[in-house]
Amino acid sequence: MKQIVKILDGATGTILQNSGIAIPEIPETLNMTQPDLIESIARDYAKAGSQIVYANTFGASPLKFQNSSYSYKECIQSGIVLARKGAPACKIALDIGPLGQLMEPMGSFTFEEAYDQFKEIVLAGKEADLIVIETMSDLYETKAALLAAKEHSDLPVFVTMSFEENERTFTSCTLESMAKTLEALGANAIGFNCSIGPKQMIKMVEKLSTLTSLPIIAKPNAGLPDPSSGTYTMSASEFYEHMESLVEAGASYIGGCCGTSPIFIEQIAKLKGQQIAREEVDSGGWVCSPLYAFCTKGIHPIGERLNPTGKKRFQQALLEEDLDYIVSIALEQKEAGADLLDVNVGHPGVDEVKMLPKLVKRLQSVIDLPLMLDSSNPNALEAGARVYNGICALNSVSAEKKKMQEVMPIAQKYGCSLVCLCLDEEGIPNSAKKRVELAHRIAQQASQYLLSKNDLWFDPLTLTVSSQPDQAIETLDALKELSKEGYSCVLGVSNISFGLPARQMITQAFLAQSLYAGLNLPIINVNVDRYMDTIVSSRLLLNEDLKAQKYIERFHALKAEPQKAMETLSL
Amino acid sequence: MKQIVKILDGATGTILQNSGIAIPEIPETLNMTQPDLIESIARDYAKAGSQIVYANTFGASPLKFQNSSYSYKECIQSGIVLARKGAPACKIALDIGPLGQLMEPMGSFTFEEAYDQFKEIVLAGKEADLIVIETMSDLYETKAALLAAKEHSDLPVFVTMSFEENERTFTSCTLESMAKTLEALGANAIGFNCSIGPKQMIKMVEKLSTLTSLPIIAKPNAGLPDPSSGTYTMSASEFYEHMESLVEAGASYIGGCCGTSPIFIEQIAKLKGQQIAREEVDSGGWVCSPLYAFCTKGIHPIGERLNPTGKKRFQQALLEEDLDYIVSIALEQKEAGADLLDVNVGHPGVDEVKMLPKLVKRLQSVIDLPLMLDSSNPNALEAGARVYNGICALNSVSAEKKKMQEVMPIAQKYGCSLVCLCLDEEGIPNSAKKRVELAHRIAQQASQYLLSKNDLWFDPLTLTVSSQPDQAIETLDALKELSKEGYSCVLGVSNISFGLPARQMITQAFLAQSLYAGLNLPIINVNVDRYMDTIVSSRLLLNEDLKAQKYIERFHALKAEPQKAMETLSL
Ligand SMILES: [Zn+2]
Ligand SMILES: [Zn+2]
Ligand SMILES: [Zn+2]
C-alpha cells in the first residue's frame, strides 16, 4: 500500500507572538480585527509549500464566544475565507481544538454538551475543504467532535491527539485506544500534534502504523521547549531531519505545531510527493476503553453478571437506579479477571433506552474495562454505543432480516464489534453445519454495512445439555468451523448446565472444550474460580501464554493457600 | 452376508443310556470295548441328516486316562475312526470337553496345565476334519483349549459354551466376553450347547448375532429336564419348532445336546441348506475380562497407577513381589471408576517376562476389569497376553519397523487391541499432520497382520506444555483428525503438566479438550476427583450419557457432601 507525503502548515500562535501584536483572549477574533495579518500567515505557509492550511478557528466555539462581541460563527466563517484568500491553491481546513472544559467523569461537562458545541462549529465551518480535530487529549471529547463532524458534514475529517512521551495523552488515553477508536468512528487520517517534538514522535508513529492503515498525521512542536524560557530552540534543518525519519516511520501528512514557522515548512516541503509504503492492517476486531484496548483474536473472558435475569437484587438495583450496587458487581468481575463486561438492563419497568446509556456513563467513570452492550432493543444499543467512550461491542444481531437491518447500521456507525447469533426466523438450527450457514448469511449482509470479518463475533449458541444431549457437540463443532474460517467466537457458556446438579462441573468441562474448539470470547461468571482456572490453563495449552507466565502467576501459590482452592467449592 | 444352515448331530450319552449297556467311568473307552455301538451312533445321525458328526472323544484327556488301562490317545484315534466308518459322508469332529478340573483362581489347576492337556488331545485327534470345543463354562479353560487347537492344528475350530438362563456360564462369563474373546482368538464358529433347551437359547443367539459375524452354533438340550425324574420330555417336533426360531435368530450350525437323538436330528434336518441373512459386525475394538467387556468406541478411563515410574513404594513392591500392595492400588482405581487398568512392571531388577504374567494372573484373580499390558519388551507383552483371561490391550507399538514386526504378531495372535504411538525412528513429529501420517503408516502395516481398524488405538502423544507450548494444539488436532477417521484414541494425559505448579488444573483442562477432540481412552489418575468429574461431565456433553444418568449419579449429592469436594484440593 502506497501513500503520498502531503505538507500541512506550521503554527499560527507562534507567528502571532512573533508579530508583536497583542494577542486577544480569543485569538480567533483576530479574523475580524486583523484580517490582513491572518491572511498573510496562510499566504506565507502556502508559499513555504503547505498543501493544506488550517484556518484560524482552533478555539472558536459558542461557549468561548458567549461573552465576546463577535460571534463564533462569523469568526469561523471569516477564518476560512481569509485562509482561502491567502492560500487559494491549498485545501483549507476547519481547525477544531478542545473546548477547554473538563469532560465527565473528571469534570461536569457532558458528552452531549460537547457534541452540541462541536455540531455548531462544524455547521459554521461548512465552507472548508476538510475538518481537522487537533490537540485533543480526551478521547471522549474527541469522539464527540468526530461524531459531530461525521453527522453534520460530508467533509474528510482528520484527527490528531497530543501524546506525552510516555505514549499517553494527558488523560491517559493509550495509542491503541486512540487509533482503534478513531478509525472505528470513521476518521480519514489520524495522528499526533503538539506536546512533543518530532524526535519523540518517531516511535509513536511507528507503533501507530502497525495499528491502522489510515494515513498518519505528524505535526510535532519544534522540539521540546527550553525549560527556563519556555521557547523552542530547534532549528528548521534539525526539524527537517527528524521529519524525514517520521516519514520513514509512516507519516504522510506532515507539518509543525508550536514553535514552527514557514521556514520549517519550507524545509519539510522537500519531502512533498514522496511515496511511502505502508502495511495493510486488519480493521475491526478491537474493543477499547481509553485506557485498555484488546484485539479479540485471543482468549478474553467476558463477565456475565451485569444482567438482571434471575437475579432479584440486581433487578431491585435497576428499578431503584442503585447504580452503586451494579458498579460493585462490575468491579468484582474486573478483579476476577474479566477482559470485557456484558451489560444488560432488560427488565420489566426499566426503560432500556434511558437506563443503558446512563449505566454506561457510570460504569466507564469507574472501570477501565471495555463494555459489551446487551439488549434486544436496537434503540437502547444505539443510545449506549453513542455515549460509550471507546469501542464497545453490541450483543446482538442474528440472521433475522429485521434484526440485521436495525442493528448493523449502529455497529457500522459506532465501529462496534457485533455479536451475531446463529439463529434466524425459524429458530436455532440443530446442526453445526446449518449454524455455520447462518453465520455466512450474516457475514454477507454485514459486508453491505462495511463491517469487516473481525467485527463479527459469532455465537453458535449453547443449548441445555440435559434436555438436548445431542446439541453440545453441534455447538462445539460449529465453533471449530467458524474459528477455522478466522472468526472470533462468543458463547454464553453457563446455559449448558441448566437444570443439572453441580452445574459448575459440566460448565467447566464445556468451557475447556469450547476454548479448544475455537471459542475466544467466553461469556461466563468470572467470579467462579474453576472457570478462570480453566481459562488460564487453556491459554497456556493453546499457546497464548508466553513462558506460562500467567499460569504460574495464578497458581504458584496454590499449594500454600488452601483457602484459595476452597472458593471453588461453592457449587 | 449369507450363511447356510448345516446340521450337527445329537447326544451320544443319551443313546448310550437308552441302549441298556453299562456306561463305564470313562465313556470314551467304549471306543475300544463297544466299537460297533459307537459306530452305529454315528451311522444313525448321518442317516438322520447330520453333516457333521462329533467323535466320541468328549472326555478323553491324559489326566482322566492316567489310571485307565486304555490310553487317551488310542481312544481318541479310534473315536474318530469309528465316527468316520459310521458316517463316511460327514465331517468328523474331534470333540473336546472340559477337563473336569477347577481352574485357577477358583481352583489350583493352572492355565499352563490345562493348555498341556488340550495340546495332547489336539495332537491325538489330528485325523479329524475339525475340532469342536464344547460344553465349556470357564472362559480361561476355553482359551487354553482354543489356543492349543490353534497352535497344534490347522483344522477349523468350533467353540460352544454352556450358558444358563441368566445369560452367564456357570463361572459367570458373559455373552459379550465369550463372543469377543473367542472371535479374537481365532475361533471359526461359536455358540452354545447343553444346559438349556432351544427356547431359552433364542434370545442368546439373537444377542450373539449382534456381537459377531462368525457362524453361530446352537446345540441345545431337549428342553429343560423334568425336575422330579431328571429326564427330558420335549418332543422332537416341538424341538424342531424352537430350532426353526433359532435359525431365524441367526444360528447356522444346529444340532442337539442332552436328551436329543436321531429322531430330533431328522426333524431339524428339514432346515438343512436354508440361507440365513446375517448382519456384518465390526471385529476388534473390544477388551474384556470374563465378567466385563467393553467396546472401546465410547469414553473409558484407563487407570495409570500400576506403574513404578517415580513411585518408590510401587518399585519396592515389585522388587519384593509384594503383589498385595499392587492389587490394592488396582482396587482403588476400580473403585474410582477406571474401566481398564494399565499394568507396567518395568523397573531395574524386575524380570518383566516373568513378572508381567505373574501379576496378570494375580490381578485377574481379584479384579474384573480388563487390563492393558504396558511394556517395551515384546516378550513380556506376549507372556502377559498369553495368560490373560479375556482380551487385553497391549501398550505399545510405534511406527518403528522393528517394533511393528515384534509386537503386531502378538496382537494378532491373542486378539489384543494395540496402542500405537505416533512416533518413528526419528522421534515424535512436531505437527498433527505428521503424527496422523505415522498413524496411517502403522495402520497399513497392521493390516498385514489382519489387525482391524478397531484394534488400533492411536496415541498422538502428550508433550509437556511448559517446555513445548506449541505442541498441545498439535496433539489435540491429531486427536481430532484420527477420531474423525474412526479410530479410537488413547493418550497419557498427565504429562501435559509436568514441571508446572498446580498440575491438576491444566491437566484437567487438557483432559476436557482432549475428550472433545476425540480422545476416548484417557490414561489418567482416576483417583483424582477432578479428572473423573471431567470425564463424567464430558460423557454427558458428548451425548454418551443417556438422560444424564451417570452425571446425576455422581453429582446429585454433591451439595450435601462438602467433604466429597474437599478431596479435589490435594494439588
Ligand atoms: Zn502545539
Ligand atoms: Zn448336554
Ligand atoms: Zn452333549
Side-chain angles (χ1 to χ4, degrees):
Chain A
M1 196 178 66
K2 301 278 179 195
Q3 291 171 345
I4 307 288
V5 174
K6 301 225 168 111
I7 309 301
L8 306 173
D9 61 8
T12 299
T14 309
I15 299 183
L16 292 177
Q17 274 165 354
N18 295 346
S19 71
I21 64 156
I23 300 180
E25 201 187 333
I26 306 177
E28 290 74 20
T29 56
L30 291 172
N31 297 346
M32 311 307 289
T33 56
Q34 302 269 0
D36 292 347
L37 173 62
I38 297 301
E39 186 186 323
S40 75
I41 295 173
R43 182 174 305 112
D44 291 347
Y45 278 124
K47 262 192 212 153
S50 293
Q51 296 163 284
I52 295 174
V53 168
Y54 290 19
N56 183 37
T57 57
F58 179 83
S61 68
L63 195 65
K64 280 196 192 145
F65 273 73
Q66 62 192 344
N67 299 318
S68 167
S69 48
Y70 299 99
S71 81
Y72 74 94
K73 213 181 231 171
E74 58 190 352
C75 283
I76 288 173
Q77 284 166 346
S78 70
I80 292 165
V81 166
L82 293 170
R84 204 177 289 290
K85 273 170 82 179
C90 295
K91 302 273 186 198
I92 305 305
L94 165 66
D95 186 4
I96 304 178
L99 296 169
Q101 300 290 323
L102 209 52
M103 292 279 294
E104 55 176 341
M106 283 93 74
S108 59
F109 200 63
T110 69
F111 179 79
E112 291 78 7
E113 286 170 329
Y115 175 86
D116 287 341
Q117 292 288 316
F118 289 121
K119 170 184 163 188
E120 297 305 327
I121 298 167
V122 167
L123 289 173
K126 62 176 191 285
E127 294 302 324
D129 300 311
L130 73 157
I131 297 169
V132 297
I133 298 163
E134 65 161 347
T135 326
M136 289 288 174
S137 73
D138 186 325
L139 187 67
Y140 209 23
E141 183 177 10
T142 314
K143 174 171 176 172
L146 180 48
L147 208 56
K150 283 284 167 185
E151 288 185 342
H152 298 285
S153 155
D154 294 324
L155 299 178
V157 186
F158 288 16
V159 186
T160 55
M161 295 184 76
S162 295
F163 276 73
E164 315 286 333
E165 279 193 86
N166 63 4
E167 300 190 357
R168 298 289 184 115
T169 68
F170 177 70
T171 62
S172 291
C173 175
T174 68
L175 245 167
E176 284 85 1
S177 293
M178 171 265 205
K180 292 300 171 181
T181 303
L182 299 183
E183 177 170 338
L185 289 169
N188 302 91
I190 62 176
F192 311 107
N193 78 296
C194 207
S195 214
I196 50 175
K199 195 176 160 189
Q200 292 78 33
M201 216 172 257
I202 294 171
K203 242 183 78 186
M204 277 184 251
V205 168
E206 274 170 0
K207 243 190 191 170
L208 190 58
S209 75
T210 67
L211 291 166
T212 182
S213 304
L214 289 175
I216 294 174
I217 305 163
K219 214 168 185 274
N221 292 342
L224 299 173
D226 181 282
S228 55
S229 68
T231 59
Y232 295 89
T233 56
M234 183 179 277
S235 70
S237 63
E238 194 192 341
F239 188 80
Y240 165 77
E241 278 167 32
H242 293 310
M243 291 307 282
E244 208 176 8
S245 303
L246 271 172
V247 167
E248 266 170 43
S252 55
Y253 285 99
I254 56 172
C257 200
C258 308
T260 63
S261 60
I263 59 165
F264 284 71
I265 299 305
E266 211 175 296
Q267 284 288 322
I268 66 170
K270 291 190 274 183
L271 298 165
K272 187 190 295 185
Q274 193 168 309
Q275 269 202 350
I276 63 168
R278 290 282 307 280
E279 298 272 323
E280 193 81 52
V281 178
D282 267 9
S283 70
W286 287 68
V287 286
C288 56
S289 70
L291 306 199
Y292 182 88
F294 68 85
C295 169
T296 53
K297 283 297 164 188
I299 294 176
H300 299 284
I302 303 177
E304 69 173 15
R305 293 179 59 219
L306 299 183
N307 191 319
T309 309
K311 303 196 189 84
K312 277 243 173 319
R313 180 71 188 84
F314 199 101
Q315 293 164 6
Q316 186 194 349
L318 278 179
L319 292 170
E320 294 170 2
E321 300 206 2
D322 172 9
L323 302 193
D324 284 353
Y325 172 76
I326 297 178
V327 162
S328 73
I329 302 290
L331 288 168
E332 277 175 26
Q333 294 185 96
K334 183 191 168 173
E335 184 63 26
D339 282 344
L340 189 66
L341 300 180
D342 188 80
V343 186
N344 185 316
V345 297
H347 188 65
V350 176
D351 180 349
E352 289 189 66
V353 181
K354 282 191 181 150
M355 179 52 92
L356 194 54
K358 187 167 187 172
L359 183 55
V360 163
K361 283 191 171 189
R362 182 62 195 280
L363 286 170
Q364 70 191 4
S365 75
V366 288
I367 201 160
D368 54 6
L369 291 184
L371 303 179
M372 176 156 97
L373 311 187
D374 184 357
S375 173
S376 57
N377 181 339
N379 295 328
L381 291 178
E382 164 134 40
R386 189 170 183 86
V387 303
Y388 183 67
N389 186 4
I391 307 175
C392 61
L394 301 182
N395 185 2
S396 59
V397 75
S398 70
E400 295 162 290
K401 275 202 183 123
K402 186 159 171 285
K403 269 277 182 205
M404 293 195 282
Q405 286 164 0
E406 287 172 344
V407 178
M408 285 180 175
I410 304 169
Q412 178 183 18
K413 180 167 181 180
Y414 298 100
C416 306
S417 292
L418 186 52
V419 173
C420 307
L421 309 182
C422 296
L423 62 81
D424 65 4
E425 288 82 356
E426 321 266 292
I428 303 173
N430 62 8
S431 75
K433 192 162 164 284
K434 285 185 194 156
R435 291 187 213 174
V436 172
E437 280 168 17
L438 287 188
H440 292 162
R441 201 199 293 169
I442 295 171
Q444 197 174 7
Q445 188 68 19
S447 68
Q448 299 186 22
Y449 295 93
L450 306 180
L451 295 170
S452 81
K453 192 165 185 173
N454 295 332
D455 289 320
L456 306 178
W457 303 352
F458 285 110
D459 182 342
L461 298 158
T462 307
L463 297 170
T464 301
V465 73
S466 59
S467 62
Q468 299 192 63
D470 60 331
Q471 288 295 302
I473 306 172
E474 300 300 330
T475 299
L476 291 167
D477 288 352
L479 287 172
K480 194 87 192 139
E481 177 60 26
L482 290 166
S483 67
K484 219 170 77 185
E485 295 180 9
Y487 288 107
S488 276
C489 293
V490 64
L491 200 64
V493 177
S494 316
N495 192 44
I496 194 75
S497 57
F498 186 78
L500 287 170
R503 289 187 59 175
Q504 293 183 7
M505 295 296 187
I506 195 155
T507 301
Q508 182 185 17
F510 186 63
L511 175 61
Q513 294 174 347
S514 299
L515 292 171
Y516 162 64
L519 175 64
N520 60 320
L521 300 165
I523 305 179
I524 194 95
N525 185 344
V526 293
N527 296 100
V528 175
D529 274 359
R530 59 172 72 233
Y531 301 158
M532 285 305 294
D533 291 345
T534 301
I535 286 169
V536 171
S537 295
S538 296
R539 277 198 184 119
L540 177 52
L541 290 168
L542 302 172
N543 205 9
E544 293 186 16
D545 184 5
L546 201 65
K547 294 186 180 172
Q549 262 178 318
K550 289 177 199 158
Y551 185 88
I552 290 167
E553 189 182 303
R554 182 173 181 88
F555 293 119
H556 75 280
L558 196 53
K559 208 158 189 169
E561 289 181 46
Q563 73 279 14
K564 165 86 179 157
M566 288 288 287
E567 289 165 28
T568 66
L569 296 188
S570 53
L571 303 166
Chain B
M1 196 179 63
K2 300 279 179 195
Q3 289 171 344
I4 308 288
V5 174
K6 299 222 169 114
I7 309 300
L8 307 174
D9 61 8
T12 300
T14 309
I15 298 182
L16 291 177
Q17 275 165 351
N18 296 346
S19 71
I21 64 156
I23 300 177
E25 203 187 333
I26 308 178
E28 290 73 19
T29 55
L30 291 171
N31 298 345
M32 310 307 289
T33 56
Q34 303 269 358
D36 293 348
L37 174 60
I38 297 302
E39 184 186 326
S40 76
I41 296 173
R43 183 174 305 113
D44 291 347
Y45 279 123
K47 262 191 213 156
S50 293
Q51 297 163 282
I52 295 174
V53 168
Y54 290 18
N56 183 36
T57 56
F58 179 83
S61 68
L63 196 66
K64 279 195 192 145
F65 273 73
Q66 61 192 346
N67 300 317
S68 170
S69 48
Y70 300 100
S71 80
Y72 74 92
K73 214 180 232 173
E74 58 190 353
C75 283
I76 287 173
Q77 286 166 346
S78 70
I80 293 166
V81 167
L82 293 170
R84 204 179 288 292
K85 273 168 85 177
C90 295
K91 302 271 185 201
I92 304 303
L94 167 64
D95 187 4
I96 303 178
L99 296 169
Q101 301 289 323
L102 209 51
M103 293 278 296
E104 56 179 342
M106 282 93 73
S108 60
F109 200 63
T110 69
F111 179 80
E112 291 79 6
E113 287 171 327
Y115 175 86
D116 288 342
Q117 292 288 315
F118 289 121
K119 171 184 161 189
E120 297 305 327
I121 298 167
V122 166
L123 289 173
K126 60 179 194 283
E127 296 302 325
D129 301 311
L130 72 158
I131 296 170
V132 297
I133 296 163
E134 65 162 346
T135 326
M136 289 287 176
S137 72
D138 186 324
L139 187 66
Y140 208 26
E141 184 177 10
T142 313
K143 174 171 176 174
L146 182 48
L147 209 55
K150 283 283 164 186
E151 288 185 343
H152 299 285
S153 154
D154 293 323
L155 300 178
V157 185
F158 289 16
V159 186
T160 54
M161 294 183 77
S162 295
F163 276 72
E164 316 285 331
E165 279 192 86
N166 64 4
E167 299 190 0
R168 299 287 185 115
T169 69
F170 178 69
T171 63
S172 291
C173 175
T174 68
L175 245 168
E176 284 85 2
S177 293
M178 172 267 204
K180 293 299 171 182
T181 303
L182 299 182
E183 177 169 340
L185 289 169
N188 302 91
I190 62 176
F192 312 106
N193 78 296
C194 208
S195 214
I196 49 174
K199 195 175 161 191
Q200 292 78 32
M201 216 172 256
I202 295 171
K203 242 182 78 186
M204 279 184 249
V205 168
E206 274 170 0
K207 244 190 190 169
L208 190 57
S209 75
T210 68
L211 292 165
T212 183
S213 304
L214 289 176
I216 294 174
I217 304 163
K219 213 167 184 277
N221 292 342
L224 299 173
D226 180 282
S228 54
S229 67
T231 59
Y232 295 90
T233 55
M234 184 179 275
S235 69
S237 62
E238 194 192 339
F239 187 79
Y240 164 77
E241 278 166 32
H242 293 311
M243 292 306 283
E244 208 175 9
S245 303
L246 271 172
V247 167
E248 266 168 44
S252 55
Y253 286 99
I254 57 172
C257 201
C258 307
T260 65
S261 60
I263 58 163
F264 284 73
I265 300 304
E266 211 175 295
Q267 284 288 321
I268 64 171
K270 291 190 275 183
L271 299 164
K272 185 190 296 185
Q274 192 169 311
Q275 270 203 348
I276 61 169
R278 288 285 305 282
E279 300 272 325
E280 194 82 51
V281 177
D282 268 8
S283 71
W286 287 67
V287 287
C288 56
S289 70
L291 306 199
Y292 183 89
F294 68 84
C295 169
T296 53
K297 284 298 167 190
I299 294 175
H300 298 284
I302 302 177
E304 68 173 16
R305 294 179 60 219
L306 300 184
N307 192 319
T309 309
K311 302 197 189 83
K312 279 240 173 314
R313 179 72 188 83
F314 198 101
Q315 294 165 6
Q316 185 194 348
L318 278 179
L319 293 169
E320 296 171 0
E321 301 206 1
D322 173 9
L323 302 192
D324 284 353
Y325 172 75
I326 298 178
V327 162
S328 74
I329 302 291
L331 288 169
E332 276 175 27
Q333 294 186 98
K334 183 192 168 172
E335 184 63 27
D339 282 345
L340 190 65
L341 300 181
D342 188 78
V343 185
N344 185 317
V345 297
H347 188 65
V350 175
D351 179 351
E352 289 189 64
V353 182
K354 281 191 183 152
M355 180 51 95
L356 194 55
K358 188 168 186 170
L359 183 55
V360 163
K361 282 191 172 190
R362 182 62 195 278
L363 286 169
Q364 69 192 3
S365 75
V366 289
I367 202 161
D368 55 7
L369 291 184
L371 303 178
M372 177 156 99
L373 311 187
D374 184 357
S375 174
S376 57
N377 181 339
N379 295 328
L381 290 178
E382 163 133 39
R386 189 168 183 85
V387 304
Y388 183 67
N389 186 3
I391 307 174
C392 61
L394 301 183
N395 185 3
S396 59
V397 75
S398 70
E400 295 163 290
K401 275 201 185 125
K402 185 157 170 286
K403 269 277 181 204
M404 292 195 283
Q405 286 163 1
E406 287 172 344
V407 179
M408 284 178 176
I410 305 169
Q412 178 183 18
K413 180 169 179 181
Y414 298 99
C416 305
S417 292
L418 186 52
V419 173
C420 307
L421 308 182
C422 297
L423 61 82
D424 66 4
E425 288 81 358
E426 321 265 293
I428 303 174
N430 62 8
S431 74
K433 193 163 163 281
K434 285 185 195 154
R435 292 188 212 173
V436 171
E437 280 169 17
L438 287 189
H440 293 161
R441 202 199 291 169
I442 294 170
Q444 198 175 4
Q445 189 67 18
S447 69
Q448 299 186 21
Y449 295 93
L450 305 180
L451 294 170
S452 80
K453 191 165 186 174
N454 296 331
D455 289 320
L456 306 178
W457 302 353
F458 285 109
D459 182 342
L461 296 160
T462 307
L463 297 170
T464 300
V465 72
S466 59
S467 62
Q468 301 193 61
D470 59 332
Q471 287 296 302
I473 305 171
E474 299 302 330
T475 299
L476 291 167
D477 288 352
L479 287 171
K480 193 85 191 144
E481 177 59 25
L482 289 166
S483 68
K484 220 171 76 185
E485 294 180 8
Y487 288 107
S488 274
C489 293
V490 64
L491 200 65
V493 177
S494 316
N495 191 45
I496 194 76
S497 57
F498 186 78
L500 286 170
R503 289 187 59 176
Q504 293 184 5
M505 295 296 188
I506 195 156
T507 300
Q508 183 185 18
F510 187 63
L511 175 61
Q513 293 172 349
S514 299
L515 292 171
Y516 162 64
L519 174 64
N520 59 318
L521 300 165
I523 305 179
I524 194 94
N525 185 345
V526 294
N527 295 101
V528 174
D529 274 359
R530 59 174 71 234
Y531 301 159
M532 285 305 295
D533 291 345
T534 300
I535 286 169
V536 172
S537 296
S538 296
R539 276 197 184 120
L540 177 52
L541 290 168
L542 302 173
N543 204 10
E544 292 186 16
D545 184 5
L546 202 65
K547 294 187 179 168
Q549 260 177 322
K550 290 176 199 158
Y551 185 89
I552 290 168
E553 189 182 304
R554 183 173 180 87
F555 293 120
H556 74 281
L558 196 53
K559 210 159 190 169
E561 289 181 45
Q563 72 280 14
K564 167 84 177 159
M566 289 286 287
E567 290 165 29
T568 66
L569 296 189
S570 53
L571 301 168

